Amino acid sequence: MAIKRYTANADNTITNAFEANLQTRGTGSNMGESDILETFTIYGQASSSSLEQSRILINFPVSEISADRASGEIPASGSVSFYLRVHNAPHGQTLPKDYNLTVLPVSRSWTEGYGLDMESYSDSGTSNWMSASVGQGWDTQGGDYHTTPVYDQYIATGTEDIEVDISELVEQWITGSKSVDGVGIEISSSYVSLPRSFYTKKFFARGSEYMYLRPKIEARWNSTIKDRRNSFYAS
């Protein structure tokens, strides 16, 4: 088995969570320089039915994948699989379990930003819950996404990594049939609608000091070279 990795070239956490005053939402906050990515839902904190969410955006150097395909470094479509890998980051806060995470393609280009504050949401900038980049708002608050392809991963204990085969999406990026704007990761909508919280799932970001735990796409293919020993016979 041959594996080639393509590390994320941009990532961010966007949120509409309340600030400490439980009145102002941090929808303009940016966390693009943080070494952690975070997704959660919080139900009923500010009022009996209030809902707060946090989502993850990750982009990848698809031009490198395309160049490797053109040069023969990786095989043609159908002979290689592409896996999204995002690694769990241990923490001391509550940890949700028994739910699904959804991975879906972002449909608008976005700017990573330079924010760091993941607690009080004091760093503003784009991208954020409201805007994809300077002067460019999302069509829908919380990000714009294609409806297909969509991938789900079940989280049983809360400490799992994300490891999802996104070959269909990567091939669409390579051929240009889908814009290369990365993926979003969020608590699946069927769980967001429940009157309970899923707080909080964290992953290592591309700024992590742990190089091998940064978000990545892995190209995997069978690199076995076989001889014809079974075709020979004694004469």
Side-chain angles (χ1 to χ4, degrees), residues 192-213:
V192 173
S193 63
L194 297 176
R196 56 166 291 194
S197 298
F198 294 88
Y199 184 86
T200 177
K201 179 62 170 169
K202 296 185 179 185
F203 299 95
F204 289 104
R206 80 181 190 98
S208 172
E209 63 179 311
Y210 305 110
M211 182 176 65
Y212 291 106
L213 296 179

Side-chain angles (χ1 to χ4, degrees), residues 24 26 38 40-41 44 51 54 68 78-79 112 114 147 159 166 173 200 222 226:
T24 306
E38 182 175 25
F40 60 71
T41 65
L51 177 64
S54 176
D68 285 345
S79 297
E112 183 178 49
Y114 302 101
T147 56
T159 60
I166 61 167
W173 285 339
T200 177
N222 186 348
K226 297 181 179 181

